[in-house]
Amino acid sequence: MSTALAQNHEENVFLTVTLAPTSALHNDPDGLAIHPLITRLGRVGELLDVQILSVPRNSWPQVQGELLDALNGLPGVLRVDVQERPKMRAKRGGDEL
């Protein structure tokens, strides 16, 4: 599945998980899907140590703490970040060019 196509920020919350260089999860990244609500989407670009996960937004408030604690507690996980929704870029005025 293409990560770019799957990133619907209205329906999902996205998490990035950074793995230690020696983490066993490099060989089994599906091991990050520790809860039925988590879907592993794949690597972030060409970064070998960062995986992206999604969780349905409507379930996020109920499971946020549980999922973040569980992911951060996995051996070999360095950090877990919740991705913000993309913001609209402001257009410059015509006289600023």
Side-chain angles (χ1 to χ4, degrees):
M1 172 185 323
S2 169
T3 303
L5 294 176
Q7 288 192 11
N8 181 339
H9 287 269
E10 296 301 317
E11 294 182 9
N12 297 295
V13 171
F14 295 95
L15 310 171
T16 53
V17 179
T18 304
L19 303 175
T22 58
S23 175
L25 291 166
H26 285 289
N27 295 328
D28 182 24
D30 287 330
L32 292 168
I34 56 170
H35 192 281
L37 292 174
I38 294 178
T39 301
R40 186 182 74 83
L41 300 176
R43 290 194 325 226
V44 174
E46 295 299 316
L47 299 174
L48 299 176
D49 60 342
V50 183
Q51 295 284 326
I52 189 163
L53 312 174
S54 70
V55 178
R57 187 168 291 284
N58 61 350
S59 300
W60 182 244
Q62 294 83 24
V63 298
Q64 176 180 0
E66 173 189 349
L67 294 183
L68 292 175
D69 288 345
L71 287 168
N72 278 307
L74 288 175
V77 171
L78 295 177
R79 64 184 289 169
V80 178
D81 295 299
V82 179
Q83 301 302 300
E84 293 184 22
R85 291 183 191 208
K87 295 181 172 63
M88 294 297 292
R89 294 173 59 183
K91 285 191 172 189
R92 291 184 174 182
D95 58 343
E96 293 182 28
L97 295 177

